[in-house]
């Protein structure tokens, strides 16, 4: 089972500001990696149904830190996702089992731009 | 030579808001990986001297996306870093050689919190 729950080939594009970014940086324990991967995949599907969800990026250095960034149009979507029962249950399991450390930064995007090779 | 220019074992901690996060998501070409790694390491040292720089996180899925998040106390520090001659030169090389795509999101952090296993 893959350890990479969300691994888009391309970065999520720049959106028209303002919008919000939820930056989640973490290091994991070596406990229950399959449970983690299943939950991550499942949540990654659920969050797409939250109104105002725009997209997410994920990267994970093997044996090192992971960073996910989820983009939302407004704080209401972030709050709805924060209170989602399956998300709450997963966070509880995360603190009990999966995460060594994590930090969440909730930020209002004021400027964005992108580059793509032509 | 390592392909991981910045790979902290632990996430950068939560700071007292407000502060700014510069989210840089990218996918790379297979060109000049040593040049990229050298430049990334060098810039990672230089940015520490920018007033208001707080820290950075980096993760890279092998063969997939990379995400770096740099934290600054204010926009003035971000602007100083954006105009730094060595940073400008590296960005030019990045567009010519290293990056397939990238997206930059500049965001004002309004809330942050962390968890650490005890």
């Amino acid at each position: 089972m893959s350890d990479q729950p969300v691994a888009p080939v391309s970065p999520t594009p720049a959106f028209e500001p303002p919008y919000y970014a939820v930056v989640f940086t973490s290091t994991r324990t070596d406990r229950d990696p399959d449970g983690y991967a299943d939950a991550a995949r499942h949540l990654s599907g659920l969050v797409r149904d939250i109104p105002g969800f725009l997209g997410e990026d994920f990267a994970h250095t093997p044996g090192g830190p992971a960073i996910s960034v989820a983009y939302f149009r407004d704080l209401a979507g972030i709050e709805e996702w924060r209170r989602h029962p399956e998300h709450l249950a997963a966070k509880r399991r995360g603190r009990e089992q999966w995460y060594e450390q994590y930090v969440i930064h909730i930020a209002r995007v004021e400027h964005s731009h992108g580059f793509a090779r032509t």
Side-chain angles (χ1 to χ4, degrees), chain A:
Chain A
M1 191 159 292
S2 169
D3 194 33
Q4 300 304 337
V6 186
V9 173
S10 310
T12 295
F15 305 100
E16 186 66 32
Y19 57 97
Y20 282 80
V22 181
V23 176
F24 181 83
T25 61
S26 62
T27 50
R28 290 220 303 277
T29 66
D30 53 8
R31 290 186 222 164
D32 187 28
D34 287 353
Y36 166 80
D38 285 346
R41 208 167 7 241
H42 182 62
L43 291 177
S44 178
L46 286 178
V47 72
R48 282 163 214 285
D49 294 333
I50 300 289
F53 175 77
L54 298 172
E56 65 182 329
D57 291 308
F58 179 80
H60 179 207
T61 300
I67 303 176
S68 80
V69 189
Y71 308 94
F72 291 87
R73 185 49 73 188
D74 53 37
L75 284 173
I78 294 174
E79 187 60 18
E80 181 169 336
W81 180 233
R82 194 176 74 80
R83 292 166 183 252
H84 189 292
E86 292 189 67
H87 189 201
L88 287 171
K91 286 200 283 195
R92 203 160 42 237
R93 275 182 76 192
R95 286 188 297 268
E96 285 166 8
Q97 302 249 37
W98 301 324
Y99 293 114
E100 196 62 45
Q101 298 187 58
Y102 65 69
V103 179
I104 296 172
H105 311 264
I106 298 176
R108 184 177 190 273
V109 179
E110 298 181 350
H111 178 77
S112 65
H113 65 273
F115 161 81
R117 185 166 299 281
T118 49

